Structure formats: C-alpha cells, structure tokens
Amino acid sequence: MRLFYHPGSPYARICRMAVREAGLAGKVAEVETTLRDPAAVMLPHNPVGRVPALVLDDGTTLTETSLVLAWLDSCDAERPMLPLDPKGLAAYGRVLGLLDGIAVWNRELRRPEHERSPGVIALEIGRAARVLDALEADVAAGGYERLDAGWLALAATLGYGERRHTVWDWRAAHPRLQAWFERAAARDAFRDTVPPPSGL
Ligand SMILES: N[C@@H](CCC(=O)N[C@@H](CS)C(=O)NCC(=O)O)C(=O)O
C-alpha cells in the first residue's frame, strides 16, 4: 500500500503515526506529494487532491483520515486505532472538530491580508478556545490516555499548533494539556513525523 502525505499535514500525520503505532510500517510505503498543485503526484490516484490518501494494492484509493484508519485497523494491525465505544468516538470527534476549525483559521491566515475574513478568524479563535478548555478538563479527568485515534488526533493537532499555527497559544492556561503533550511527544511515532515550521 502507498500512503500519500504532505509533511505539514496534521491529518496525514494522524495516519502516519497510526501506521507506526500499529506495526504496519512494513506494509505501507509513504509517498510525499505536493498540495494545491496541478502536477501533484497524488492527483492521478486522488482527484480530490487532499492528504491522506491510501492507495491499496488493487489500485483503490481511500481518502479521509477516519476511513484510512478504519482500513489500517483491518490490516492485521497490532493495535486497532479507531475506537468502537461511545466515549472513545466522542473524544476522537471532539479533536477532529477542533482540527477542522484550526485548518479553516490557518487557511485564512495564508490568504493575502486584504482577502482574510476577520469574522471567520474570530469564530475559529472562539471555537478553538472553547474546545481547548473542554480538552483540558477531559485530560484532567483521565481522558486521552488510551493510544487510539483520539490520542493521535490530539497529538497531531497540538503538534500542528507548535510548528505550523503558532499564532494559536494553546499552552496558555492549559497545564494538563502541556503535560499530556510532553508525554505524547516522546513517542517514536510522534518524533518521526514532526512537521516543518510554516512561519505562521
Ligand atoms: N477531511 C479530510 C481533511 C484532509 C485535509 O484537509 N488535508 C489537507 C492537508 S492538512 C489537504 O490535503 N489540503 C489540500 C487542499 O485542500 O487542496 C480528512 O479527514 O482527511
């Protein structure tokens, strides 16, 4: 199988960490692609043009992080990543919602200043602050301890804030999340997939 990724993508990073944590690195070759580029090597397999995209041995291409994780779980994974219980699913969904909002906020900041929407940015700042407070309480109550999709998504999202969306000061007033992140950042799967800084 081939996993198309971009080194800056937190969504692709979720799958790349899953491949490592599930012991599937020998079965999945990672292929770097450009994004928003008509010449991207991924486009013949995935006209959507987004990563992650997993090309199976029969040529079928799976897109969308959660669908890729579901497939990886079915590949004799040493450790399944997609939770099946309501609490695990809720925890994963909460972080995915945060990440989607951060992605919108980041996209606004990549536009020329006169094209940015202050309203959209304000909405996403508010959403991120709200979810962060909830996550701080979740972690204080013992959440995100199990290494599953919610864990991977939280590590990828906070890691994105560290390197590619530093305007978001997620550490401020969130000591439990900081301590959680330090533990997550010590894992090989995390260290292997640290994104390059974006300057934002
Ligand atoms: N809903 C998708 C989101 C994936 C996504 O937005 N990927 C970004 C990189 S972080 C991308 O490929 N963007 C390129 C584009 O929008 O053209 C998922 O869960 O995988």
Side-chain angles (χ1 to χ4, degrees):
M1 292 180 278
R2 279 174 298 161
L3 179 64
F4 284 99
Y5 77 101
H6 182 274
S9 165
Y11 295 94
R13 190 180 188 193
I14 294 171
C15 295
R16 296 176 69 210
M17 289 194 287
V19 164
R20 287 160 175 76
E21 296 287 4
L24 294 172
K27 292 187 180 172
V28 179
E30 293 186 340
V31 182
E32 185 171 338
T33 182
T34 47
L35 297 176
R36 304 176 198 94
D37 168 13
V41 292
M42 171 182 58
L43 280 182
H45 304 279
N46 173 20
V48 177
R50 298 196 304 200
V51 291
L54 182 69
V55 182
L56 308 186
D57 294 339
D58 71 356
T60 305
T61 302
L62 302 180
T63 58
E64 297 298 317
T65 301
S66 301
L67 304 182
V68 171
L69 290 182
W71 181 259
L72 293 176
D73 281 355
S74 75
C75 295
D76 277 336
E78 284 168 16
R79 190 201 306 256
M81 292 295 163
L82 267 189
L84 298 174
D85 59 304
K87 281 200 164 47
L89 287 168
Y92 177 43
R94 179 167 282 186
V95 184
L96 274 187
L98 170 64
L99 180 54
D100 286 350
I102 297 287
V104 169
W105 178 5
N106 186 268
R107 176 172 286 199
E108 284 300 309
L109 298 185
R110 281 187 272 121
R111 296 182 203 279
E113 208 161 332
H114 68 277
E115 288 182 16
R116 293 179 194 163
S117 163
V120 167
I121 292 172
L123 183 79
E124 297 308 341
I125 289 174
R127 190 196 317 276
R130 226 168 37 232
V131 183
L132 259 190
D133 288 349
L135 289 171
E136 177 76 4
D138 291 344
V139 167
Y144 298 93
E145 283 304 318
R146 185 173 64 190
L147 210 167
D148 63 4
W151 187 101
L152 296 171
L154 186 54
T157 302
L158 298 180
Y160 188 71
E162 293 288 282
R163 310 275 295 178
R164 300 189 65 84
H165 194 69
T166 62
V167 293
W168 179 43
D169 185 10
W170 66 263
R171 287 176 176 270
H174 297 104
R176 303 283 194 157
L177 279 173
Q178 281 186 49
W180 183 94
F181 184 74
E182 299 322 320
R183 289 195 303 278
R187 293 194 69 85
D188 287 344
F190 184 98
R191 287 146 62 123
D192 270 4
T193 56
V194 171
S198 73
L200 281 178

